[in-house]
Amino acid sequence: MFIRVKKIGPYEYLYLVENAREGGRHVQRVIKALGRRDAVEDSDLLDGLIASAARHSRRSIVLSRFYRGELPELRRLSIGPDLVFGQLWQQTGCRDVLRGLLGERRFGFDVERAIYLTVLHRLLVSGSDRHAHDWRQRLRVPGAEALTLDHAYKAMAWLGEETADGHPMTETVEEALYHHRRPLLGEPSVAFFDTTSLYFEGRGGATLGQRGFSKDFRPQLHQVVLGIVLDGHDRPIASFLWPGNTADVTTLLPVVERLRTRFGIGRACVVADRGMISAATMAGLEAQGIDYILGVRERSTAEVRTTVIDDDGAAVPLTIPRQKGETDLAIKEVMVAGRRYVVCRNEEQARKDAETRAALLVGLERKLAQGDKALVGNGGYRRFLADPAGEGFTIDPAKVEADARFDGLFVLRTNSRLSPLQVVLRYRNLLAVEQGFLAAKTLLATRPIFHRTDAAIRGHIFCTFLALVLRQELMDQLAARRLALPEWQHIVEDLLDLSEIEVEQDGRRALLRTAPGPAIDPLCRALGASLPPVFQELPRAEAAA
């Protein structure tokens, strides 16, 4: 039944109409002519009719009373997180892979659900596993209703335990996920690798927690080194954990070996930062016939410092678009005794480097006026000082001039057949790994780590890896449909805000769904997900439970 508008001459008339079936066909039957449209709209006829009908609609009564604050909330649960990430958990194969690996093992609880809940918590709120247990009470996660904090700890330990072949379960899960998705995504042609450090509040397990270089500026705490490999589309493929005293330069060959033997990735070009480069690493890669693009330590490598950057070959301009403006680079290829280098100069960065050095020299002159002792603890100052002769330190103009040669400069070493421009573009994609680490440390708050065993530590960090897999899959699906990418914090807030509320009216209970925030629509469109109805009548048995 509905209102129909019909134009007769210069006027429009309103009719109350119903659909009916007559003689085997559908017809519209006029129940009542309401009158001329302008006259009806000026009167209160329609408002009275709607109000009268609403008194006999349970849905309208419940919603109206709730919005007026007359019905208390019996229970409120957030449904947004599972609506989106539950679907991604299935699409990426995480659910099926974990259930398959668990097989016939009996834990007395659903381990896959405990891991999913931890990953969900890492994506949306983050914090300790203890906090995740309390947070779960405010969420609808099917199958996780009876999980406890002890279940979460046991699930983390299972993820980090060693399998029969001596490898952690986390590696087995990664490899199974890769092979699960390989028919759809194909074999990667490039593998981006980088490392970072995470710190512990405590000892940090039996072997993983060690004193080492802290990229979080926490040298007094035990560290663990985390490495992540991404493919050419920024999708996480694999993660690696080493004790905190592991040098970056020793990590690349084991990564390549695992990609080759365990993942079956034998032809991908390996891209890594300057911390990974060494003669032994490059020799090992070339012996296996693997292409590489590696950053070079410009200042400490004699061949680069004395020969490569002084090459007078012509540079080719390259303009790279970015979110705000463009990046202009000048690129040239340099060959030295069969070794291939690509030299890049960023004019904008060169200006920033010159300004930074000028400000540092001003500060240095002030420090010199205060005496030599003020310079002892500052390495940035010391590299511009001449050896003391007579009265004390002085600024060495030759060292200042030598430092200026490296302004805006970065150098790459490669054995690939890619053009210099392609080499630079691939290397700049390494920024995606750094952004992944930033997300892991800030958005997903992996640090600090409080677990005491190596197995639980591996499981805890691996949940962040799984969270990165889901996060990247969501961004890829939004981009594939050319939908606007909402800010991550807006996504989190709108997902948590989307809730179901249980209310009671006249001894009968119902579920009401809150209005979605602006980020929900693009997410549902990208995933093909549907929101539950605004009003659902609860069966009496379910309401009683």
Side-chain angles (χ1 to χ4, degrees):
M1 193 175 297
F2 58 94
I3 302 293
R4 178 182 174 186
V5 180
K6 184 176 181 180
K7 189 170 184 178
I8 302 176
Y11 301 107
E12 291 182 338
Y13 293 85
L14 300 183
Y15 298 86
L16 185 61
V17 178
E18 69 172 356
N19 285 320
R21 187 176 180 87
E22 293 181 356
R25 61 191 184 92
H26 290 282
V27 298
Q28 292 182 354
R29 180 187 299 154
V30 176
I31 298 174
K32 180 175 176 58
L34 300 177
R36 218 168 72 182
R37 180 173 183 174
D38 54 349
V40 171
E41 290 178 348
D42 289 340
S43 70
D44 60 355
L45 176 62
L46 288 180
D47 292 335
L49 181 63
I50 293 171
S52 176
R55 286 196 293 271
H56 301 282
S57 167
R58 173 168 165 77
R59 178 181 185 277
S60 298
I61 293 171
V62 172
L63 289 173
S64 177
R65 291 199 62 194
F66 176 75
Y67 293 142
R68 291 200 304 265
E70 297 174 1
L71 293 181
E73 296 181 4
L74 302 180
R75 181 183 59 175
R76 176 189 283 258
L77 294 176
S78 177
I79 60 173
D82 184 67
L83 176 72
V84 170
F85 291 110
Q87 190 161 329
L88 292 170
W89 185 253
Q90 297 180 41
Q91 291 177 0
T92 56
C94 291
R95 184 193 66 176
D96 294 341
V97 164
L98 287 171
R99 289 181 177 177
L101 291 173
L102 285 161
E104 300 299 321
R105 294 190 62 171
R106 296 290 181 263
F107 282 87
F109 68 97
D110 194 331
V111 176
E112 179 269 330
R113 290 286 85 187
I115 295 172
Y116 171 59
L117 181 64
T118 302
V119 172
L120 206 58
H121 180 253
R122 201 69 55 83
L123 279 162
L124 297 165
V125 181
S126 202
S128 67
D129 293 325
R130 184 178 298 276
H131 180 270
H133 171 67
D134 297 333
W135 175 76
R136 178 190 63 80
Q137 311 298 327
R138 304 189 294 273
L139 224 68
R140 174 176 286 282
V141 179
E145 295 83 2
L147 293 176
T148 67
L149 180 60
D150 186 56
H151 294 155
Y153 289 152
K154 289 180 179 179
M156 296 303 100
W158 174 77
L159 275 177
E161 72 179 16
E162 284 194 1
T163 59
D165 60 2
H167 294 277
M169 181 61 70
T170 54
E171 294 187 4
T172 305
V173 174
E174 287 173 349
E175 293 151 13
L177 280 176
Y178 171 75
H179 291 295
H180 180 90
R181 304 178 72 192
R182 183 175 177 177
L184 177 64
L185 305 179
E187 182 175 334
S189 60
V190 60
F192 299 96
F193 174 70
D194 204 355
T195 63
T196 190
S197 62
L198 302 170
Y199 61 86
F200 296 97
E201 293 290 350
R203 178 67 183 84
T207 62
L208 289 175
Q210 301 290 336
R211 293 284 174 81
F213 177 71
S214 173
K215 298 180 181 180
D216 298 316
F217 307 103
R218 298 287 193 279
Q220 75 279 10
L221 300 177
H222 287 185
Q223 315 287 325
V224 65
V225 176
L226 168 64
I228 289 183
V229 175
L230 304 185
D231 68 7
H233 299 281
D234 303 338
R235 292 185 289 254
I237 297 176
S239 63
F240 299 80
L241 278 186
W242 294 280
N245 57 1
T246 304
D248 282 354
V249 74
T250 66
T251 59
L252 188 55
L253 288 180
V255 168
V256 172
E257 177 66 14
R258 183 180 166 215
L259 291 178
R260 186 175 62 84
T261 60
R262 306 276 292 186
F263 287 84
I265 301 174
R267 295 184 296 175
C269 177
V270 177
V271 184
D273 207 350
R274 65 189 69 186
M276 316 296 167
I277 194 169
S278 71
T281 296
M282 288 183 290
L285 293 174
E286 291 178 355
Q288 298 180 57
I290 294 174
D291 289 348
Y292 60 80
I293 300 172
L294 302 176
V296 175
R297 301 182 185 93
E298 299 90 355
R299 298 173 187 269
S300 60
T301 305
E303 183 173 82
V304 174
R305 190 175 63 247
T306 60
T307 304
V308 174
I309 66 175
D310 290 332
D311 183 85
D312 58 0
V316 178
L318 173 65
T319 299
I320 302 175
R322 57 188 186 189
Q323 286 185 340
K324 296 182 179 179
E326 298 175 334
T327 297
D328 294 318
L329 301 176
I331 301 169
K332 63 179 177 181
E333 182 178 21
V334 179
M335 298 293 295
V336 179
R339 294 179 291 275
R340 186 184 182 203
Y341 294 91
V342 176
V343 181
C344 313
R345 181 177 172 83
N346 183 331
E347 289 297 335
E348 181 182 353
Q349 186 61 47
R351 287 192 295 272
K352 292 180 180 178
D353 291 345
E355 292 169 0
T356 300
R357 183 174 53 256
L360 192 148
L361 290 172
V362 170
L364 177 55
E365 290 175 348
R366 277 198 308 269
K367 292 293 184 181
L368 285 172
Q370 298 172 12
D372 295 344
K373 290 184 178 179
L375 309 173
V376 173
N378 193 315
Y381 286 156
R382 288 199 303 271
R383 62 192 175 100
F384 295 119
L385 295 175
D387 295 331
E391 298 182 357
F393 291 104
T394 58
I395 295 176
D396 188 338
K399 291 184 176 180
V400 175
E401 183 179 352
D403 186 78
R405 297 172 64 220
F406 299 97
D407 287 354
L409 201 70
F410 66 95
V411 181
L412 307 176
R413 173 82 180 271
T414 182
N415 65 343
S416 71
R417 297 181 181 180
L418 298 173
S419 70
L421 299 183
Q422 290 173 316
V423 168
V424 173
L425 289 174
R426 286 205 170 180
Y427 183 77
R428 285 182 62 85
N429 285 344
L430 193 61
L431 292 173
V433 186
E434 298 176 4
Q435 292 167 355
F437 285 142
L438 181 63
K441 289 183 173 186
T442 55
L443 293 178
L444 310 183
T446 308
R447 60 184 183 187
I449 303 168
F450 297 91
H451 291 284
R452 299 179 180 180
T453 66
D454 286 352
I457 290 167
R458 289 185 182 277
H460 173 87
I461 296 175
F462 186 66
C463 284
T464 295
F465 174 84
L466 294 177
L468 290 174
V469 170
L470 299 190
R471 185 173 183 267
Q472 185 60 44
E473 182 66 22
L474 176 59
M475 296 306 172
D476 287 346
Q477 294 203 27
L478 285 167
R481 289 159 180 78
R482 298 182 179 179
L483 298 169
L485 299 178
E487 291 289 337
W488 183 252
Q489 191 56 40
H490 295 165
I491 292 176
V492 169
E493 291 171 356
D494 286 355
L495 286 178
L496 291 173
D497 187 60
L498 186 65
S499 303
E500 64 177 21
I501 302 167
E502 185 174 339
V503 297
E504 184 175 351
Q505 163 75 16
D506 296 333
R508 297 165 61 188
R509 295 192 178 186
L511 284 182
L512 312 182
R513 193 251 303 152
T514 60
I520 299 299
D521 178 64
L523 298 182
C524 289
R525 289 167 60 194
L527 300 176
S530 300
L531 293 175
V534 174
F535 176 89
Q536 298 179 74
E537 192 77 66
L538 282 178
R540 294 189 181 276
E542 185 177 343

